[in-house]
């Protein structure tokens, strides 16, 4: 087992040196298998010949080359998963730009919707205020008209009361005048009767006096 490990390490070192010497900084080609994994193309013939040149039997060299190729493919596959290709980056950028544009569109639509709702609420509030103002003006006019009507009725009532009082005063004055005239007439009549009575009394006394004088004489 340890001998196999040494041979495998020897083959891997030979393969690495072969890659450095023959390929330099040239990139390793790759294909995509049917299962979705990448297959990196390496020069296995050069590796086998390098191992054979170091004394490794042909079959072992081919087995080591196959094992190294498999390990290398797995390692490079794992490394490739850690990086993103330019196409994938462009695709991601396009997706992000599309999402950003969609987000901007949604934000603008939301702003327009809320602005429209705010305008409708403002118009509704303005209409309610105008309605309340009209109702308040109507109530004020109604109260003012009622107060004016009550004031006019009160003025008419006071005017009627004053007219009634003036009429009653006039009636009382006329009645007093009539009573005064009646009293004056009665006084004049009584005065005339007293004068008549006094004159009659004087005449009677004079007649009696004359009769007495005649009798005495």
């Amino acid at each position: 087992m340890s001998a196999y490990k040494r041979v495998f390490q020897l083959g891997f070192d030979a393969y690495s040196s072969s890659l450095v010497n023959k390929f330099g900084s040239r990139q390793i080609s790759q294909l995509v298998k049917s299962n979705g994994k990448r297959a990196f193309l390496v020069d296995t013939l050069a590796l086998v010949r390098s191992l054979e040149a170091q004394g490794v039997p042909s079959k072992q060299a081919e087995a080591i080359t196959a094992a190294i190729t498999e390990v290398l493919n797995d390692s490079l596959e794992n490394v490739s998963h850690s990086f993103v290709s330019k196409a994938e980056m462009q695709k991601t950028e396009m997706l992000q730009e599309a999402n950003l544009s969609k987000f901007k569109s949604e934000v603008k639509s939301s702003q327009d919707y809320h602005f429209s709702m705010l305008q409708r609420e403002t118009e509704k509030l303005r209409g309610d205020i105008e309605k309340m103002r009209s109702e308040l003006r109507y109530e004020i006019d109604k109260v003012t008209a009622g107060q004016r009507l009550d004031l006019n009725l009160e003025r008419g009532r006071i005017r009627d009361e004053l007219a009634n009082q003036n009429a009653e005063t006039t009636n009382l004055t006329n009645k007093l005048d009539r009573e005064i005239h009646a009293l004056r007439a009665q006084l004049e009549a009584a005065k005339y009767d007293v004068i008549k009575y006094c004159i009659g009394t004087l005449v009677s006394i004079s007649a009696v006096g004359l009769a007495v004088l005649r009798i005495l004489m």
Side-chain angles (χ1 to χ4, degrees), residues 55-73:
V56 179
S58 177
K59 291 184 178 181
Q60 291 183 359
E62 291 177 357
I64 292 172
T65 301
I68 292 174
T69 303
E70 185 68 23
V71 171
L72 181 62
N73 284 329

Side-chain angles (χ1 to χ4, degrees), residues 47-156:
L47 178 59
V48 170
R49 289 179 179 177
S50 177
L51 291 173
E52 289 176 350
Q54 295 182 14
V56 179
S58 177
K59 291 184 178 181
Q60 291 183 359
E62 291 177 357
I64 292 172
T65 301
I68 292 174
T69 303
E70 185 68 23
V71 171
L72 181 62
N73 284 329
D74 292 339
S75 299
L76 292 178
E77 180 69 21
N78 293 329
V79 172
S80 66
H81 286 310
S82 301
F83 297 94
V84 180
S85 63
K86 185 176 181 180
E88 291 178 351
M89 289 182 63
Q90 291 178 351
K91 183 178 179 181
T92 303
E93 289 178 357
M94 292 177 63
L95 183 61
Q96 290 179 352
E97 290 179 357
N99 292 332
L100 183 59
S101 299
K102 183 179 179 181
F103 177 72
K104 288 181 179 179
S105 177
E106 291 178 354
V107 170
K108 188 175 184 302
S109 299
S110 178
Q111 288 179 348
D112 294 338
Y113 173 74
H114 288 294
F115 183 72
S116 178
M117 289 292 294
L118 182 60
Q119 283 185 336
R120 285 197 293 269
E121 291 295 333
T122 303
E123 292 296 331
K124 183 179 179 182
L125 183 60
R126 187 176 299 169
D128 293 338
I129 292 174
E130 290 296 331
K131 183 178 179 181
M132 292 176 62
R133 186 177 297 172
S134 299
E135 292 178 354
L136 182 60
R137 188 181 298 111
Y138 172 75
E139 292 295 332
I140 292 174
D141 294 338
K142 183 178 179 181
V143 172
T144 303
Q147 290 179 351
R148 189 179 294 113
L149 179 62
D150 294 338
L151 183 60
N152 292 330
L153 292 175
E154 187 67 20
R155 286 178 179 176

Side-chain angles (χ1 to χ4, degrees), residues 156-174:
R157 187 181 64 80
I158 293 173
R159 191 181 299 112
D160 293 338
E161 289 182 356
L162 290 175
N164 292 329
Q165 289 179 0
N166 290 330
E168 290 178 358
T169 303
T170 303
N171 292 330
L172 289 174
T173 303
N174 294 330

Side-chain angles (χ1 to χ4, degrees), residues 16-32:
S16 300
S17 61
S18 177
L19 287 177
V20 172
N21 294 329
K22 292 185 178 182
F23 298 99
S25 60
R26 186 176 60 184
Q27 294 181 351
I28 299 175
S29 301
Q30 55 179 326
L31 294 175
V32 179

